[in-house]
């Protein structure tokens, strides 16, 4: 399978003629959409998530005002970076105060965004999920440490719970919330029924669960039929399974380039013709 980094030279038109659904939030979808289109694919945007500010910044601001008291600052998503920087400025602080704090980022996209703000993430695990961070740390390293974690209102608790079990004090503050948009499902339903969609991509568990909710809580397989489902990683793929579907495509590298590489690899091995011609 071509790696995400070598894909450009290996498969320049690997998605030619493929119509692919992007369910990522509209504000986040550009990188995925652009990469698919560069490889000859056609995007059908169907965002199942909207990202909005939290309703209350009290706890967030209290933590930021005492940022110097933390030993670790861990970002579990790129979405937490901009809100953190915004609250830092509003609280009269600046990035220079982070010099003595260990910064962790679950994935390279998050680390790159931090770097753009002049913040170096010392910890970027090989496995781009909470378990990857935990494999890099240890109870001895974290005992007695203070950890700040700006993240979504709803997220898996494995990282803060484990760090607390290891003896760390973990403050989880809500940096953003994801809400359910209200797109018209009829156009996509017609294309799926006409077998005119080649794949539906999911970049988080929330994109999957919201997709099912938008189609009025039907079982996932009943919504998509035999349309291939592509997931950014095994946790998202498990959510697909839990909601009655099967992820035929799962990225080996849990990033957007990794997801695109998995799509190219799948269609490169598939005898399926692009479905566009079968649209009713």
């Amino acid at each position: 399978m071509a790696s995400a980094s070598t894909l450009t030279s290996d498969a320049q038109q690997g998605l030619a003629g493929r119509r692919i659904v992007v369910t990522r939030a509209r504000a986040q979808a550009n990188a995925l959409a652009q990469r698919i289109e560069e490889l000859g694919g056609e995007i059908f945007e169907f965002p199942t998530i909207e990202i909005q500010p939290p309703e209350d910044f009290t706890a967030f601001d209290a933590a930021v005002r005492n940022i110097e008291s933390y030993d670790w600052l861990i970002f579990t998503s790129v979405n937490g970076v901009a809100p953190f920087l915004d609250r830092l400025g509003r609280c009269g602080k600046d990035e220079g105060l982070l010099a003595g704090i260990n910064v962790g980022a679950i994935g390279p996209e998050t680390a790159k965004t931090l770097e753009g703000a002049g913040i170096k993430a010392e910890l970027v695990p090989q496995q781009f999920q909470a378990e990857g961070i935990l494999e890099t740390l240890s109870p001895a390293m974290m005992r007695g440490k203070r950890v700040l974690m700006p993240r979504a209102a709803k997220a898996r608790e494995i990282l803060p719970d484990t760090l607390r079990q290891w003896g760390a004090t973990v403050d989880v503050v809500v940096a953003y919330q994801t809400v359910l948009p209200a797109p018209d499902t009829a156009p996509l339903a017609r294309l799926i029924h006409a077998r005119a969609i080649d794949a539906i991509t999911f970049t988080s568990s929330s994109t999957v669960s919201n997709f099912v909710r938008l189609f009025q809580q039907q079982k996932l397989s009943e919504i998509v039929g035999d349309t291939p489902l592509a997931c950014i990683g095994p946790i998202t793929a498990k959510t697909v399974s839990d909601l009655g579907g099967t992820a035929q495509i799962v990225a080996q590298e849990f990033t957007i380039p990794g997801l695109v590489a998995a799509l190219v690899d799948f269609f490169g091995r598939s005898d399926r013709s692009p479905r566009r011609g079968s649209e009713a």
Side-chain angles (χ1 to χ4, degrees), residues 19 47 67 74 107 150 165 201 216 219 242:
R19 178 182 284 140
I67 191 66
I74 298 178
Q165 290 169 11
T201 60
Q216 300 179 349
K219 189 177 178 181
D242 291 343

Side-chain angles (χ1 to χ4, degrees), residues 4-267:
S5 60
T6 62
L7 188 57
T8 299
S9 59
D10 290 350
Q12 293 185 352
Q13 286 293 299
L15 299 178
R18 303 290 180 180
R19 178 182 284 140
I20 296 170
V21 176
V22 173
T23 59
R24 210 174 197 201
R26 200 174 297 278
Q28 297 178 302
N30 187 54
L32 176 57
Q34 181 177 347
R35 195 72 189 100
I36 290 172
E37 289 176 340
E38 286 173 352
L39 295 168
E42 176 186 342
I43 296 300
F44 186 97
E45 284 193 78
F46 188 76
T48 62
I49 281 180
E50 283 184 7
I51 297 174
Q52 295 185 357
E55 296 178 357
D56 185 357
F57 284 104
T58 302
F60 199 168
D61 286 351
V64 168
R65 288 192 187 97
N66 292 292
I67 191 66
E68 301 98 321
S69 70
Y70 290 95
D71 300 291
W72 279 89
L73 175 61
I74 298 178
F75 293 91
T76 58
S77 165
V78 68
N79 297 324
V81 177
F84 173 79
L85 295 172
D86 177 63
R87 302 319 294 183
L88 198 67
R90 289 174 184 266
C91 292
K93 306 281 186 176
D94 61 49
E95 294 80 0
L97 295 172
L98 307 181
I101 303 173
N102 298 299
V103 178
I106 275 188
E109 185 180 359
T110 304
K112 184 177 179 181
T113 303
L114 286 166
E115 186 178 355
I119 302 170
K120 179 175 175 51
E122 294 91 352
L123 172 58
V124 183
Q126 293 294 316
Q127 186 183 3
F128 305 145
Q129 55 190 34
E131 289 83 350
I133 289 275
L134 294 171
E135 287 179 1
T136 307
L137 302 175
S138 70
M141 290 172 60
M142 301 309 295
R143 189 173 302 114
K145 303 299 185 185
R146 285 178 54 93
V147 181
L148 178 60
M149 201 176 298
R151 65 167 209 190
K154 296 180 180 178
R156 295 195 307 145
E157 297 298 330
I158 183 172
L159 182 55
D161 283 355
T162 303
L163 293 177
R164 289 178 182 125
Q165 290 169 11
W166 289 355
T169 299
V170 182
D171 291 334
V172 175
V173 293
V174 178
Y176 62 95
Q177 60 179 333
T178 59
V179 301
L180 188 69
D184 182 3
T185 60
L188 178 57
R190 282 195 295 271
L191 288 171
I192 291 173
H193 181 71
R195 304 184 81 248
I197 294 294
D198 291 288
I200 300 172
T201 60
F202 295 113
T203 54
S204 69
S205 290
S206 296
T207 60
V208 186
S209 56
N210 281 4
F211 184 89
V212 174
R213 288 175 65 190
L214 288 169
F215 282 91
Q216 300 179 349
Q217 305 285 358
Q218 297 178 58
K219 189 177 178 181
L220 189 51
S221 62
E222 295 172 355
I223 301 169
V224 303
D226 67 349
T227 306
L229 305 181
C231 294
I232 199 166
I235 293 172
T236 304
K238 182 179 185 304
T239 303
V240 165
S241 177
D242 291 343
L243 293 174
T246 300
Q248 293 92 334
I249 306 161
V250 182
Q252 298 299 306
E253 179 185 292
F254 312 151
T255 62
I256 294 302
L259 177 58
V260 174
L263 283 164
V264 171
D265 181 69
F266 175 80
F267 289 118

